[in-house]
Amino acid sequence: MPSRTMIEAIRSAMDVSMERDERVVVFGEDVGFFGGVFRCTEGLQKKYGASRCFDTPISETGIVGAAVGMAAYGLRPIAEIQFADYMYPAYDQIVSEAARLRFRSANDFTASMVVRMPCGGGIFGAQTHSQSPEALFTHVAGLKTVIPSNPHDAKGLLIAAIEDEDPVIFLEPKRLYNGPFDGHYDRPVVPWSKHPLSDVPDEHYTVPIGKAVVRREGSAVTVLAYGTMVHVAEAAAQDTGIDAEIIDLRTLVPLDIDTIVQSVEKTGRCVVIHEATRTSGFGAELAAQVQERCFYHLEKPVLRVTGWDTPYPHIHEWDYFPGPKRVGEALVEATAKD
Amino acid sequence: MPSRTMIEAIRSAMDVSMERDERVVVFGEDVGFFGGVFRCTEGLQKKYGASRCFDTPISETGIVGAAVGMAAYGLRPIAEIQFADYMYPAYDQIVSEAARLRFRSANDFTASMVVRMPCGGGIFGAQTHSQSPEALFTHVAGLKTVIPSNPHDAKGLLIAAIEDEDPVIFLEPKRLYNGPFDGHYDRPVVPWSKHPLSDVPDEHYTVPIGKAVVRREGSAVTVLAYGTMVHVAEAAAQDTGIDAEIIDLRTLVPLDIDTIVQSVEKTGRCVVIHEATRTSGFGAELAAQVQERCFYHLEKPVLRVTGWDTPYPHIHEWDYFPGPKRVGEALVEATAKD
Amino acid sequence: MAEHTPLSLHVPAPPTEEGGRQSSSLPFSAAGAVRRPPVDVDPREIRDLAFELIRVLDDDGNAVGEWAPELDVETKRNGLRAMMKTRAFDSRMMKMQRQGMTSFYMQCTGEEAVACAFQSALRKGDMNFPTYRQQGLLIAQDWPVVDMMNQILSNSADRMKGRQLPVMYSAREAGFFSISGNLGTQYIQAVGWAMASAIRNDTKIAAAWIGDGSTAESDFHAALVFASVYQPPVILNVVNNQWAISSPQSIAGGEKTTFAARAHGYAIPALRVDGNDYLAVRAASEWAAERARRNLGPTMIEWVTYRVAPHSTSDDPSKYRSKAEEKGWPLGDPIERLKTHLIRTGEWSEERSVQLAAELDAEMSAAASEARALGTLHDGPRLSPATMFEDVYKDMPRHLREQRQQLGY
Amino acid sequence: MAEHTPLSLHVPAPPTEEGGRQSSSLPFSAAGAVRRPPVDVDPREIRDLAFELIRVLDDDGNAVGEWAPELDVETKRNGLRAMMKTRAFDSRMMKMQRQGMTSFYMQCTGEEAVACAFQSALRKGDMNFPTYRQQGLLIAQDWPVVDMMNQILSNSADRMKGRQLPVMYSAREAGFFSISGNLGTQYIQAVGWAMASAIRNDTKIAAAWIGDGSTAESDFHAALVFASVYQPPVILNVVNNQWAISSPQSIAGGEKTTFAARAHGYAIPALRVDGNDYLAVRAASEWAAERARRNLGPTMIEWVTYRVAPHSTSDDPSKYRSKAEEKGWPLGDPIERLKTHLIRTGEWSEERSVQLAAELDAEMSAAASEARALGTLHDGPRLSPATMFEDVYKDMPRHLREQRQQLGY
Ligand SMILES: Cc1ncc(C[n+]2csc(CCOP(=O)(O)OP(=O)(O)O)c2C)c(N)n1
Ligand SMILES: Cc1ncc(C[n+]2csc(CCOP(=O)(O)OP(=O)(O)O)c2C)c(N)n1
Ligand SMILES: [Mg+2]
Ligand SMILES: [Mg+2]
């Protein structure tokens, strides 16, 4: 199987889907002629024509609003928001429209569509190129929220999202686009080709939405992570030598709570990590659910390692980012025998 | 002291503030000539003139965006969003602009402003007149989020919000506008005049932002609530006879965690309630923090009683609303000796 | 140039009277005065039309000028019937609301011609993206009023399963998109739908609807930008009924220009039409629909009309607008105007009108009984609360199944 | 009318060449050809100006027509100097970026006249709400370039404390509002600021800035609606540099009309001006500023210019646009054009230009050394991470104090 970067895997998912299904269309700012500022849609306009892959005006409201209309018609739109930080102008169309259309019309109209957006920091992008707004989607009934951590999942999950009958928010950790970044920013960059999960088949396949996966089995503590933080968790486990069980959630809503509960019941300890702002981040939901469901198995409180409650800073990126050091400290704390 | 409804208390807060400070201006859809669809701004245009209290076009983007500009100039704008359900078009201006202006400019510019919005259900308003979007604000660093449960607090908190140097989201539980609703929707409506907290002084006073209050002392279980749910909690305690300690948070961010921890350490049990959708609601943050900080005092998991993870329905309003019955069941569960 | 006096804020202040405001709309053209360009006209050549008012019916009920459509008698009578039925429906629903059978209702009194005549220019498969004040789109195509009443009563047969506020219909089969409570959002969706039709080389067209007040919303601009760029087959309707709850159109930017003129900045052709003139509405709708079907792109139409009734059953206009204006029906009654025309041309009579009104009232009464038997907001058959957890997603995820169980289902 | 062929989607396809696209802008008027109306003209009488192009400098460097401003020699030389300094600044910063001293930079090459000449029409206390491509507003008022460099290098003296992406300046004292990374948001804020000035019966005016591409954003529409309704003292600038990253202006709705024309639908007067003509920019800016100061309300100005450089240091235009067009500087070099004029009028010489360029380069070099000594992105003095928790709120709340402690401060 060919090794692909995350970008290539995402592109391949769209390519395969456009090939199989004429209803699939792709658009966004700089997405058409140029192929996207991160090159995820490169070549698609040439291959499928400008009416299936095109540039849009700089209006996130318009991009998502038009997608809702297209989906209501019966197309399968894939809308790209250039950075997750720029999704706010589209938030009304996402929350009030895409998410609620099926419910409010009792199935008369639906919005099967994907909104893709690069998220997360680690590229010195400061407050408007670094955000992780997943919790703003997980709070909204009617949305599914997906976030892959590697090329294999990225392709499979994106195809599953395109074929899903509900609106799916597809978050792409941009720091993973070109390599499996583990938070050791001072070490040489590792390419995806060195990572087994960059084996991405050419053909169509899906990774199911709503299914987490255990990335590393362990007995000392359960780590709940997604996106870039899966790699950070792996680094922290390695750095500390703690036998952590690392769960890659892959889908935040609907959440694969069974996999989580099974693990925490085994380890009795749990650390939740994410890059987003701490207060009301998705980690709060995870911590709340774990203590609700595993209370009598827990030896320690569920710990959260997250971005701070500040806007994402520019120069202090690495002080903000919850890297392997901070995660490692939490692993130590969670597993300490006191 | 005169008895005032919530509406009158809110109006009085703006009146007093406009009187004292020429920089205070009030605007929103139907806010000027008519005095607001809930009459909160009635009489203000007449008293202070159309350039201090005026109608706006139906553009929530514009209302909040203009408020940010006015605040940057040095005014103290109070913007009304007609229903919290309609704040989404303004979300970019709230999150990316008002919340971050001080930080990104390192104090060069600030956005001292209040965004008022009626929230919550209980008036058969269906999905677009019933929402409680507080968690979408608490996740955003730079915002303060306030929600009063009675006329006295409403006036004092609103004046404090107007005088605050940071942007404040001021949520007004609309079901409380005219009476202290406790969730017993089938009983006769009670007017505020019967409630001690409707004693609202004519003059200027503040209730501090960031301070919770114990509404009912008790030893069996701590209930964390805000807005309408404070009254529901009181009804549930009364209905079940359980000696609950009910904390009215009043401010969600910054959270008065001391008052919470002190109570939970005493009771060892905690129930969190809110009307908003459960997943990633503010209750998740509360549960996460309580178990983080009070783990060794907890006898039971922190329970959440919330709205369901569906859009707010119309006819099934009372099945959706977490009324005294559901809250009561949680109190029983939390205090059960097993 | 050196010294300047202090600035001051302009806040539009329409004339007040009897303690209320007037809407103060712009002057009208005479019936028949505006030219009818070919549908493939260069948009730049008809900029003036955004500042005129296309009218066909003169004060005496004659159909005059280039816009007078050639319609057979039956079609015109159907138009009259559709408008009268819409009004009969409104009046029946107001009664039921006052009787507590529903929580809420919204009338379109005075605006019947806009929706009814517009619908007659559409074809099966076309899609409207309406606001809450276009019940005429459904009624004009004889959509079962019982179905609409079921929604309004939120009863056991409500296809929306009691989830939506009354009047927030959805009827895919009738080319009627699910109404959103959030103003404006449907405008860009209509453009997206029309883009989809063009992408698929289909022949269907879309119609976007918005009120004067709501043109201030962001989605309005997004819709115009996308319509301008991709030239999809969409008709961009602005229903200027002079009011947005308590705010006259001047608060939406209508003080010194027309809403039709908004389109020009996007190179979209625009018409401004007397929305209380059934024949003018029909002609302009057909013109715009033909442009769309010929792939000539979007057209904006401002329908100038007047909201005679309160905004909704929750509203009391006596607090904010002039009673005199309201009582004067500024553009006349569209039903009366078409009736006068039909009588003048010998195709109708007062007696037949009275008879038709009675028939329609009986029809509404029968439908209301039928709907009431299926339940009302507070009484009778009722959908199970378990249905609340359905349709959030196509398949109910585990957490919703758990929550349904917690509720006891 | 019965049968229609299938629809198809129009996607603007500007001419391609050398593997890239061209921007294909609309035709220009001759220098001096456009009339200059009085500032209190009825906006309806100057609609045509949105489709013309106000130009003062002809091809030979003569200042012609009614818009030619009466400026003394010193003022014009200052203008030339401001533009040259802006370019020198850009070129120095590009060097530093390539040397890794900053993560990011954005040039305004070719657009210097717009910001530099505009600023000269403002007064102390007025407020710009700029985009990232108006560094000229600061440089033209001789704001210390070291201060700007400190921000770009995110060093220990960065007044923004290293929080913002480079070039996202803020300088209240210079009437320069904090730049947002989110496109468009500042447009309505400028209108709000101007409303505030009017509310307070002040004399200050505001200037809103936006790019051609960003006019599609919602805030643009909100700004125009509010400006239309309240008539505040604001100048609504649209910098049409033909490109938005890889997308030509046709993708923003500029295929068949001008951006200036957008204003008409809101009854706002609009000018369309050659943005590479220092004298035209100056004259138009003064006209609009005078309108604002006299409480005559908002003015929109479309500045037609060309983005000569890549979008930013992260961009490579060879992937999407014609090299030939880029190399051709479609509207000429604003610096060359003003220089030619000054030389022609005997007020300048090639030698003085060369000398000034050298002086400015030395000035930049000295400033760069000074800034570098205060640190760069990766080296030298650096702000403590503890500062990250400051200014989120006026007073640091408990949870942020706790988090700062967790970080070890
Ligand atoms: C986003 C949003 N903001 C505010 C409202 C509240 N609201 C409902 S109807 C209305 C007035 C709309 O006026 P207009 O667009 O002129 O339509 P009309 O009612 O006259 O038909 C307002 C402000 C809403 N429903 N959605
Ligand atoms: C809300 C938002 N969407 C997208 C972006 C990404 N983006 C940054 S600059 C740019 C192009 C802007 O073009 P234009 O407005 O013409 O300004 P110019 O760069 O030409 O000066 C885009 C799409 C952004 N910063 N903010
Ligand atoms: Mg209206
Ligand atoms: Mg541009």
Side-chain angles (χ1 to χ4, degrees):
Chain A
M1 281 194 292
S3 165
R4 284 191 162 93
T5 67
M6 199 96 155
I7 291 170
E8 291 159 349
I10 287 164
R11 189 189 301 143
S12 173
M14 290 189 273
D15 190 358
V16 163
S17 300
M18 291 177 90
E19 181 96 48
R20 284 165 64 101
D21 186 346
E22 289 229 310
R23 298 171 306 166
V24 178
V25 293
V26 173
F27 50 90
E29 297 159 17
D30 303 295
V31 154
F33 189 88
F34 178 48
V37 293
F38 289 107
R39 329 293 307 125
C40 288
T41 55
E42 198 179 4
L44 298 179
Q45 180 171 87
K46 221 173 197 147
K47 189 159 170 195
Y48 299 102
S51 56
R52 289 189 62 203
C53 176
F54 50 87
D55 292 322
T56 62
I58 305 177
S59 165
E60 292 76 13
T61 308
I63 293 169
V64 176
V68 172
M70 291 180 191
Y73 174 93
L75 295 190
R76 298 259 160 174
I78 307 174
E80 176 178 307
I81 301 290
Q82 201 163 78
F83 286 86
D85 318 59
Y86 303 141
M87 70 85 185
Y88 302 106
Y91 198 56
D92 189 36
Q93 284 286 349
I94 293 173
V95 173
S96 308
E97 301 297 319
R100 301 215 178 101
L101 185 55
R102 180 191 295 278
F103 183 84
R104 80 175 196 229
S105 74
N107 268 315
D108 201 28
F109 291 93
T110 58
S112 173
M113 55 188 267
V114 181
V115 185
R116 292 176 45 238
M117 52 185 97
C119 67
I123 62 156
F124 275 105
Q127 51 153 353
T128 56
H129 301 87
S130 306
Q131 295 169 40
S132 297
E134 64 272 11
L136 303 176
F137 301 118
T138 57
H139 189 44
V140 179
L143 296 180
K144 294 180 177 172
T145 302
V146 170
I147 175 165
S149 70
N150 60 74
H152 181 271
D153 283 0
K155 177 168 175 180
L157 284 166
L158 182 50
I159 294 178
I162 296 166
E163 295 174 359
D164 200 277
E165 301 292 331
D166 292 306
V168 179
I169 305 295
F170 195 83
L171 293 157
E172 302 170 1
K174 69 177 86 68
R175 180 62 210 229
L176 296 183
Y177 271 153
N178 291 306
F181 179 68
D182 70 1
H184 283 300
Y185 58 89
D186 40 6
R187 299 192 190 159
V189 173
V190 183
W192 273 115
S193 55
K194 298 253 166 78
H195 197 286
L197 288 169
S198 77
D199 278 349
V200 174
D202 286 333
E203 61 272 17
H204 174 277
Y205 67 93
T206 59
V207 169
I209 290 176
K211 277 263 147 250
V213 65
V214 176
R215 284 281 167 231
R216 181 192 190 287
E217 290 195 20
S219 59
V221 53
T222 300
V223 180
L224 304 181
Y226 47 89
T228 310
M229 299 311 291
V230 172
H231 304 274
V232 174
E234 284 171 340
Q238 175 139 18
D239 295 355
T240 57
I242 289 172
D243 187 26
E245 176 141 308
I246 299 171
I247 298 180
D248 180 351
L249 296 178
R250 301 199 291 200
T251 301
L252 307 189
V253 172
L255 184 66
D256 182 358
I257 190 71
D258 288 340
T259 300
I260 295 171
V261 168
Q262 214 175 330
S263 176
V264 177
E265 286 185 351
K266 178 175 77 178
T267 62
R269 290 139 204 277
C270 183
V271 174
V272 174
I273 62 181
H274 60 64
E275 207 181 324
T277 293
R278 181 186 190 81
T279 300
S280 285
F282 191 65
E285 178 62 32
L286 291 171
Q289 285 207 35
V290 168
Q291 67 87 34
E292 275 158 18
R293 294 171 192 265
C294 311
F295 187 76
Y296 300 102
H297 291 86
L298 282 175
E299 313 263 345
K300 288 262 183 159
V302 183
L303 299 180
R304 288 184 284 171
V305 187
T306 68
W308 309 117
D309 281 323
T310 74
Y312 216 106
H314 181 238
I315 45 163
H316 295 125
E317 173 143 280
W318 300 122
D319 304 296
Y320 183 93
F321 186 90
K325 184 163 160 287
R326 274 172 59 204
V327 174
E329 284 163 10
L331 295 186
V332 170
E333 186 182 339
T335 53
K337 312 266 172 285
D338 36 13
Chain B
M1 281 194 293
S3 165
R4 284 191 162 93
T5 67
M6 199 94 155
I7 291 170
E8 290 160 349
I10 287 164
R11 189 189 300 142
S12 172
M14 291 189 272
D15 190 359
V16 164
S17 300
M18 291 176 90
E19 181 97 48
R20 284 166 65 101
D21 186 346
E22 288 229 310
R23 298 170 307 166
V24 178
V25 294
V26 173
F27 50 90
E29 297 159 17
D30 303 295
V31 155
F33 188 87
F34 179 48
V37 293
F38 289 106
R39 330 292 307 124
C40 288
T41 55
E42 198 178 4
L44 298 179
Q45 180 172 88
K46 220 172 198 147
K47 189 159 171 196
Y48 299 103
S51 57
R52 290 188 62 202
C53 176
F54 50 87
D55 293 323
T56 63
I58 305 177
S59 165
E60 291 76 14
T61 308
I63 293 169
V64 177
V68 172
M70 291 180 191
Y73 174 92
L75 295 190
R76 298 260 159 173
I78 307 174
E80 176 178 307
I81 302 290
Q82 202 163 77
F83 286 86
D85 318 59
Y86 304 140
M87 71 85 184
Y88 302 106
Y91 198 56
D92 189 36
Q93 284 285 348
I94 294 173
V95 173
S96 308
E97 300 297 318
R100 302 215 178 101
L101 185 55
R102 180 191 295 279
F103 182 84
R104 81 173 195 230
S105 74
N107 268 315
D108 202 28
F109 292 94
T110 59
S112 173
M113 55 188 268
V114 180
V115 185
R116 293 177 44 238
M117 52 185 97
C119 68
I123 62 156
F124 275 105
Q127 52 154 352
T128 55
H129 301 86
S130 306
Q131 294 168 43
S132 296
E134 64 272 11
L136 302 176
F137 300 118
T138 57
H139 189 44
V140 179
L143 297 180
K144 294 180 176 173
T145 302
V146 170
I147 175 165
S149 70
N150 60 74
H152 181 271
D153 283 359
K155 177 168 175 181
L157 284 166
L158 182 50
I159 294 178
I162 296 165
E163 295 173 359
D164 201 276
E165 301 292 330
D166 292 306
V168 180
I169 305 295
F170 194 84
L171 294 157
E172 302 170 2
K174 69 177 88 65
R175 180 63 211 230
L176 296 183
Y177 272 154
N178 290 307
F181 180 67
D182 70 0
H184 283 300
Y185 58 90
D186 40 5
R187 299 192 189 158
V189 173
V190 183
W192 272 116
S193 55
K194 298 253 167 76
H195 197 287
L197 288 169
S198 76
D199 277 350
V200 174
D202 285 334
E203 59 272 17
H204 174 278
Y205 67 92
T206 59
V207 169
I209 289 175
K211 277 263 148 250
V213 65
V214 176
R215 283 282 167 229
R216 181 192 191 287
E217 289 195 21
S219 58
V221 53
T222 301
V223 180
L224 304 182
Y226 46 89
T228 309
M229 298 311 290
V230 172
H231 303 274
V232 175
E234 284 171 340
Q238 175 139 17
D239 295 354
T240 57
I242 290 171
D243 187 27
E245 177 140 307
I246 299 171
I247 298 180
D248 179 352
L249 297 178
R250 302 199 289 201
T251 301
L252 308 190
V253 172
L255 184 66
D256 182 358
I257 190 69
D258 289 340
T259 301
I260 296 171
V261 167
Q262 213 175 330
S263 175
V264 177
E265 287 185 351
K266 178 175 77 178
T267 62
R269 290 142 204 274
C270 183
V271 173
V272 175
I273 62 183
H274 60 64
E275 207 180 326
T277 293
R278 182 185 188 82
T279 300
S280 285
F282 190 65
E285 179 62 32
L286 291 171
Q289 285 208 36
V290 167
Q291 67 88 35
E292 275 159 17
R293 295 171 191 265
C294 311
F295 188 76
Y296 300 101
H297 291 86
L298 282 175
E299 313 264 345
K300 289 262 183 161
V302 183
L303 299 180
R304 288 185 282 171
V305 187
T306 67
W308 309 117
D309 281 323
T310 74
Y312 215 106
H314 182 237
I315 46 164
H316 295 125
E317 172 143 280
W318 300 121
D319 304 296
Y320 184 93
F321 186 90
K325 185 164 158 287
R326 276 173 58 205
V327 175
E329 283 162 11
L331 296 185
V332 171
E333 187 182 338
T335 53
K337 311 266 172 286
D338 36 16
Chain C
M1 285 217 182
E3 272 319 295
H4 293 89
T5 50
L7 298 159
S8 61
L9 189 73
H10 172 78
V11 179
T16 42
E17 194 188 294
E18 258 189 68
R21 297 195 273 192
Q22 283 177 307
S23 58
S24 68
S25 49
L26 297 160
F28 301 156
S29 327
V34 181
R35 77 183 185 289
R36 184 184 190 283
V39 294
D40 57 355
V41 66
D42 182 333
R44 282 171 294 192
E45 280 164 29
I46 57 164
R47 289 211 186 100
D48 56 314
L49 296 196
F51 303 97
E52 303 285 348
L53 191 74
I54 296 170
R55 316 181 85 187
V56 167
L57 289 170
D58 69 14
D59 289 349
D60 303 322
N62 300 307
V64 296
E66 298 176 19
W67 284 95
E70 303 210 352
L71 299 178
D72 57 33
V73 181
E74 218 36 58
T75 305
K76 289 195 225 173
R77 283 202 203 115
N78 280 342
L80 183 66
R81 187 175 185 281
M83 292 196 286
M84 288 174 69
K85 187 168 166 185
T86 302
R87 192 163 299 169
F89 182 80
D90 274 4
S91 112
R92 177 64 48 173
M93 295 324 299
M94 283 303 288
K95 218 174 271 172
M96 293 180 93
Q97 197 273 342
R98 268 185 249 106
Q99 291 163 349
M101 290 185 209
T102 175
S103 55
F104 183 78
Y105 190 68
M106 296 180 99
Q107 299 166 269
C108 67
T109 319
E111 305 177 34
E112 293 88 349
V114 176
C116 291
F118 184 88
Q119 181 61 39
S120 66
L122 294 189
R123 299 194 186 154
K124 179 107 197 127
D126 295 340
M127 187 65 71
N128 280 298
F129 288 75
T131 81
Y132 44 74
R133 228 181 281 285
Q134 274 90 45
Q135 49 266 59
L137 295 172
L138 286 171
I139 292 175
Q141 54 180 310
D142 275 325
W143 185 258
V145 290
V146 177
D147 182 69
M148 298 167 73
M149 290 179 179
N150 290 339
Q151 199 280 329
I152 292 166
L153 300 186
S154 304
N155 68 20
S156 61
D158 172 12
R159 285 187 300 104
M160 263 87 267
K161 299 190 190 167
R163 289 175 187 152
Q164 280 269 58
L165 209 60
V167 318
M168 303 284 171
Y169 318 105
S170 178
R172 176 186 268 276
E173 254 195 75
F176 191 100
F177 187 71
S178 156
I179 298 176
S180 174
N182 298 62
L183 295 173
T185 48
Q186 72 287 348
Y187 221 59
I188 173 68
Q189 292 165 1
V191 171
W193 195 98
M195 287 172 69
S197 181
I199 288 169
R200 299 294 286 158
N201 305 125
D202 200 345
T203 57
K204 306 190 187 93
I205 70 171
W209 292 89
I210 205 164
D212 49 318
S214 307
T215 58
E217 288 287 8
S218 304
D219 310 275
F220 175 80
H221 175 61
L224 267 62
V225 172
F226 277 61
S228 174
V229 172
Y230 304 109
Q231 298 286 309
V234 64
I235 306 175
L236 301 161
N237 297 290
V238 176
V239 182
N240 179 2
N241 65 4
Q242 320 288 325
W243 291 93
I245 309 183
S246 78
S247 301
Q249 57 150 12
S250 54
I251 298 291
E255 196 177 27
K256 289 190 200 120
T257 185
T258 70
F259 293 95
R262 288 273 167 89
H264 293 167
Y266 308 81
I268 295 172
L271 307 178
R272 188 162 171 273
V273 181
D274 180 345
N276 287 20
D277 177 339
Y278 186 93
L279 299 183
V281 176
R282 169 90 187 207
S285 303
E286 277 175 350
W287 191 85
E290 182 62 16
R291 276 183 43 80
R293 290 190 214 289
R294 285 216 214 152
N295 216 21
L296 293 167
T299 308
M300 173 165 280
I301 310 180
E302 174 182 351
W303 306 108
V304 181
T305 178
Y306 189 81
R307 195 198 82 207
V308 172
H311 172 71
S312 74
T313 49
S314 313
D315 179 43
D316 173 10
S318 75
K319 291 227 172 69
Y320 58 78
R321 80 174 176 185
S322 148
K323 271 244 164 43
E325 180 189 91
E326 190 175 304
K327 292 239 168 76
W329 291 58
L331 287 109
D333 179 343
I335 295 179
E336 286 302 313
R337 287 175 66 189
L338 185 59
K339 193 179 83 180
T340 307
H341 168 71
L342 280 167
I343 292 177
R344 184 167 193 93
T345 51
E347 292 151 350
W348 193 248
S349 68
E350 277 296 353
E351 298 70 49
R352 289 179 71 176
S353 253
V354 171
Q355 193 192 330
L356 177 56
E359 269 170 36
L360 290 170
D361 190 48
E363 192 183 329
M364 293 307 132
S365 171
S369 302
E370 197 182 324
R372 213 165 41 218
L374 298 163
T376 71
L377 179 60
H378 298 295
D379 285 312
R382 196 184 144 80
L383 287 165
S384 160
T387 59
M388 181 168 65
F389 300 93
E390 294 164 10
D391 309 327
V392 180
Y393 299 93
K394 173 146 191 296
D395 302 308
M396 198 181 299
R398 178 191 160 138
H399 67 284
L400 283 177
R401 285 200 309 276
E402 280 183 9
Q403 292 180 15
R404 190 185 58 189
Q405 280 156 15
Q406 282 170 38
L407 186 59
Y409 293 92
Chain D
M1 284 214 183
E3 271 320 294
H4 294 89
T5 50
L7 298 159
S8 62
L9 190 74
H10 172 77
V11 179
T16 43
E17 193 188 295
E18 259 189 68
R21 297 193 272 191
Q22 284 178 306
S23 58
S24 68
S25 47
L26 297 160
F28 302 155
S29 328
V34 182
R35 76 184 185 289
R36 184 184 190 283
V39 294
D40 57 355
V41 66
D42 182 334
R44 282 170 295 192
E45 280 165 30
I46 58 164
R47 288 211 186 101
D48 57 314
L49 295 196
F51 303 98
E52 305 285 348
L53 192 74
I54 296 170
R55 316 182 85 186
V56 166
L57 289 170
D58 70 13
D59 289 349
D60 303 322
N62 300 306
V64 296
E66 299 175 18
W67 284 96
E70 304 210 353
L71 299 178
D72 57 34
V73 181
E74 219 35 60
T75 305
K76 290 196 225 172
R77 282 202 204 115
N78 280 343
L80 183 67
R81 186 175 185 282
M83 292 196 286
M84 289 176 68
K85 187 167 167 186
T86 302
R87 192 163 299 168
F89 181 79
D90 274 4
S91 113
R92 176 63 49 175
M93 296 323 299
M94 284 303 289
K95 219 174 270 174
M96 294 180 93
Q97 197 272 342
R98 267 186 249 105
Q99 292 164 348
M101 291 184 207
T102 175
S103 56
F104 182 79
Y105 190 68
M106 297 181 99
Q107 299 167 270
C108 67
T109 319
E111 305 177 33
E112 293 88 350
V114 176
C116 291
F118 185 88
Q119 181 61 41
S120 66
L122 294 188
R123 299 196 185 152
K124 178 109 195 124
D126 295 340
M127 187 65 71
N128 280 298
F129 288 75
T131 82
Y132 44 73
R133 228 181 281 286
Q134 274 89 47
Q135 49 267 58
L137 296 172
L138 286 171
I139 294 176
Q141 54 179 309
D142 275 324
W143 187 257
V145 290
V146 177
D147 182 69
M148 296 166 74
M149 291 178 179
N150 291 338
Q151 198 279 330
I152 292 166
L153 300 185
S154 304
N155 68 19
S156 61
D158 171 14
R159 285 187 300 104
M160 262 89 266
K161 299 192 190 166
R163 291 175 187 150
Q164 280 270 56
L165 210 59
V167 317
M168 304 285 170
Y169 319 105
S170 177
R172 175 186 269 276
E173 254 196 75
F176 191 100
F177 187 71
S178 157
I179 298 177
S180 174
N182 298 62
L183 295 173
T185 48
Q186 72 286 350
Y187 222 60
I188 173 68
Q189 291 165 2
V191 171
W193 195 99
M195 287 172 69
S197 180
I199 289 169
R200 299 294 285 158
N201 304 125
D202 200 344
T203 57
K204 306 191 188 92
I205 69 171
W209 292 89
I210 204 164
D212 50 319
S214 306
T215 57
E217 288 287 8
S218 304
D219 311 275
F220 176 79
H221 175 60
L224 267 63
V225 172
F226 277 62
S228 173
V229 172
Y230 304 109
Q231 298 286 310
V234 64
I235 305 175
L236 301 160
N237 297 290
V238 175
V239 182
N240 179 2
N241 64 4
Q242 320 289 325
W243 290 92
I245 310 184
S246 78
S247 300
Q249 56 150 13
S250 54
I251 298 290
E255 197 177 27
K256 290 191 200 116
T257 185
T258 70
F259 292 95
R262 288 273 167 89
H264 293 167
Y266 308 80
I268 296 172
L271 306 178
R272 189 163 170 272
V273 180
D274 180 345
N276 287 20
D277 177 340
Y278 187 93
L279 299 183
V281 175
R282 169 90 187 207
S285 304
E286 276 176 351
W287 191 85
E290 182 61 17
R291 275 182 44 80
R293 290 190 215 288
R294 285 217 214 149
N295 216 21
L296 294 166
T299 309
M300 174 166 281
I301 310 181
E302 174 183 352
W303 306 108
V304 181
T305 179
Y306 189 81
R307 194 197 83 206
V308 172
H311 172 71
S312 73
T313 49
S314 313
D315 180 42
D316 173 11
S318 75
K319 291 229 172 67
Y320 58 76
R321 80 174 176 185
S322 149
K323 271 242 163 45
E325 180 189 270
E326 191 174 305
K327 294 239 168 75
W329 290 58
L331 287 109
D333 179 343
I335 295 179
E336 286 304 312
R337 287 174 67 188
L338 185 59
K339 192 180 82 179
T340 306
H341 168 70
L342 281 167
I343 292 176
R344 183 165 193 96
T345 51
E347 294 151 348
W348 194 249
S349 67
E350 278 295 352
E351 300 69 51
R352 289 179 71 175
S353 254
V354 172
Q355 193 192 329
L356 177 55
E359 268 170 34
L360 290 169
D361 190 49
E363 191 183 329
M364 293 306 132
S365 170
S369 303
E370 197 182 323
R372 214 166 38 221
L374 298 163
T376 71
L377 180 60
H378 298 294
D379 286 312
R382 195 185 145 79
L383 287 165
S384 161
T387 59
M388 181 167 64
F389 300 93
E390 293 164 9
D391 310 327
V392 180
Y393 299 92
K394 173 146 191 295
D395 302 307
M396 198 180 299
R398 180 192 158 138
H399 68 284
L400 284 177
R401 284 200 309 275
E402 280 182 11
Q403 292 180 16
R404 189 185 59 189
Q405 280 156 17
Q406 282 170 40
L407 185 60
Y409 293 91

